[in-house]
Amino acid sequence: MRTSLLPGTDLELSVIGMGCWAIGKTYWWDDVEDATSVEAVHAALDAGINWFDTAPLYGEGHADEVLREALSGCSEQPVIATKVGVMFQGASGHAESKLDEAHLRADVEASLTRLKREAIDLLQVHWPCQHGTPLEETFMTLQALKAEGKVRHIGVCNYGPDALDELMSYADVVSLQTPYSLLRRELEQEHLPVIARHGLGVLAYEPLCRGLLTGKFLKEPRFPDSDLRSRDDRFSGRFFTHANRVAHDLGKFARRLEVPTSAVALGWVCAQPHVTAAIAGAKTPEQVRQNAQAHRFIDQPEAVDVIEKILHRHRRSRPQT
Ligand SMILES: NC(=O)c1ccc[n+]([C@@H]2O[C@H](COP(=O)([O-])OP(=O)(O)OC[C@H]3O[C@@H](n4cnc5c(N)ncnc54)[C@H](OP(=O)(O)O)[C@@H]3O)[C@@H](O)[C@H]2O)c1
């Protein structure tokens, strides 16, 4: 597995990290079995994946518990990147970001307890505050948690360029976690200057577009209500048609290279010079093993060209987002 240094840190991350949202179960279909999730984590380690992305929100701590169980007894502990701030608001069932000092501290302590760690390797603000807390309070608190040794490095997810420029003056933020895939490239229009200005690492989430880029959905899928994709517009209509055309051609190319389609889609993400690593979600050992093959694309500009040509071929069916 290829690795890449997260700028401003000593974290040498495998270019594919394992995303743990699905193994938290809630929102990702309730047929996910914890025993299979544990095997998936072990498959990730065996494939050279050395970091995991989790969050308090993922199954309200369940993803952390599964991860901790899977890692207990491992002689070499991987990097754990987790998040902070987002919580369910009582009975409303809506998750909201609360970023005042008291909540940040309580959330970090709860994560340390669940993960059985003394410090969090990379703590990322999950999404911008919805309770009016100024950036200064939030990021000065995170900087204090770093000085206290509870947090090794600070990152953010889902912030726009202006907020990034401001918050960088309050804390040593090293990374931006943001959606990025063959089907979602807003990062290139919106964030590249701010990333370069501050030397941020980029951790690409949803790199398979929630499974669309694996090519496995031959027609519009029907998901149960328990799967968040039952409410995701991208799994129907024009977006689905476009995604499927792209995935179909990626599949043909993948067969020529004798790799899974998911590896081609992830390989394109990992090969982008502004990306440090892609966070691939997975539920089973087999999915992990397929996704881990993506690192083979990093040194293959010809393969990346072929993938760009596939996108170009289908540009007319691409819906405006
Ligand atoms: N910071 C944020 O706000 C944020 C937001 C979203 C995600 N994330 C992070 O990014 C990670 C990845 O994003 P994501 O999980 O939403 O989407 P994703 O990685 O694009 O898709 C993951 C899903 O695709 C399917 N899949 C994965 N590998 C496959 C394979 N080889 N063959 C067939 N199907 C496969 C699995 O679902 P099925 O088997 O059910 O199809 C899996 O749960 C998350 O786990 C989380 O850690 C962060």
Side-chain angles (χ1 to χ4, degrees):
M1 173 64 72
R2 292 282 297 266
T3 61
S4 176
L5 183 70
L6 183 65
T9 76
D10 57 351
L11 302 178
E12 199 49 73
L13 301 179
S14 49
V15 293
I16 296 292
M18 179 173 165
C20 296
W21 191 4
I23 67 171
K25 292 198 200 178
T26 314
Y27 289 143
W28 270 97
W29 211 330
D30 33 27
D31 68 344
V32 179
E33 297 290 342
D34 290 347
T36 311
S37 303
V38 167
E39 286 171 19
V41 170
H42 291 163
L45 295 170
D46 289 345
I49 290 175
N50 70 0
W51 71 284
F52 294 82
D53 180 72
T54 182
L57 184 67
Y58 299 166
E60 292 191 79
H62 189 67
D64 288 359
E65 286 159 4
V66 170
L67 192 54
R68 188 191 65 207
E69 182 192 333
L71 297 179
S72 66
C74 289
S75 52
E76 212 167 307
Q77 288 293 311
V79 169
I80 297 184
T82 188
K83 310 193 185 75
V84 69
V86 174
M87 55 192 280
F88 282 99
Q89 294 297 308
S92 76
H94 289 295
E96 283 186 11
S97 181
K98 201 161 179 288
L99 298 176
D100 58 275
E101 176 168 5
H103 181 63
L104 291 173
R105 287 187 173 276
D107 215 15
V108 166
E109 288 302 334
S111 289
L112 287 169
T113 304
R114 274 194 307 274
L115 293 166
K116 279 210 166 73
R117 293 249 167 143
E118 308 246 304
I120 289 168
D121 297 317
L122 177 66
L123 183 75
Q124 306 155 105
V125 177
H126 203 152
W127 67 69
C129 188
Q130 291 158 295
H131 287 263
T133 307
L135 288 173
E136 184 172 4
E137 176 179 337
T138 299
F139 286 89
M140 299 281 266
T141 302
L142 295 176
Q143 191 68 13
L145 284 163
K146 187 176 170 210
E148 291 161 28
K150 306 253 178 202
V151 169
R152 295 191 58 224
H153 301 288
I154 304 165
V156 293
C157 317
N158 305 309
Y159 277 85
D162 292 346
L164 281 168
D165 272 332
E166 184 185 340
L167 63 84
M168 291 300 299
S169 59
Y170 307 126
D172 305 327
V173 171
V174 296
S175 59
L176 171 69
Q177 193 182 126
T178 186
Y180 191 55
S181 72
L182 284 163
L183 298 171
R184 283 196 72 177
R185 300 177 69 168
E186 308 93 275
L187 165 78
E188 294 166 13
Q189 277 83 51
E190 294 165 10
H191 283 93
L192 288 188
V194 76
I195 287 164
R197 201 154 49 243
H198 300 293
L200 294 170
V202 171
L203 305 174
Y205 78 66
E206 245 184 41
L208 293 170
C209 206
R210 292 185 171 168
L212 276 174
L213 286 167
T214 65
K216 68 181 174 182
F217 299 113
L218 301 178
K219 57 183 176 97
E220 287 186 13
R222 288 269 169 85
F223 294 108
D225 290 348
S226 53
D227 188 317
L228 80 169
R229 291 172 292 187
S230 62
R231 297 173 291 287
D232 186 334
D233 293 346
R234 293 173 295 183
F235 286 81
S236 60
R238 285 194 65 191
F239 195 100
F240 180 82
T241 304
H242 171 70
N244 239 19
R245 286 179 185 162
V246 171
H248 177 262
D249 286 3
L250 286 181
K252 283 206 277 194
F253 182 47
R255 280 191 290 283
R256 257 174 49 208
L257 300 177
E258 299 184 340
V259 295
T261 307
S262 66
V264 176
L266 291 166
W268 176 87
V269 174
C270 296
Q272 304 307 310
H274 45 270
V275 170
T276 306
I279 312 169
K283 292 173 170 170
T284 66
E286 185 52 22
Q287 289 182 349
V288 170
R289 283 191 279 272
Q290 291 187 352
N291 299 346
Q293 295 181 49
H295 74 107
R296 291 164 51 183
F297 286 79
I298 288 180
D299 286 333
Q300 290 193 31
E302 321 77 42
V304 173
D305 276 356
V306 173
I307 299 167
E308 290 285 355
K309 284 191 181 116
I310 291 173
L311 280 182
H312 188 71
R313 192 181 310 143
H314 295 297
R315 68 193 180 287
R316 289 204 182 82
S317 67
R318 186 186 163 76
Q320 296 304 316
T321 47

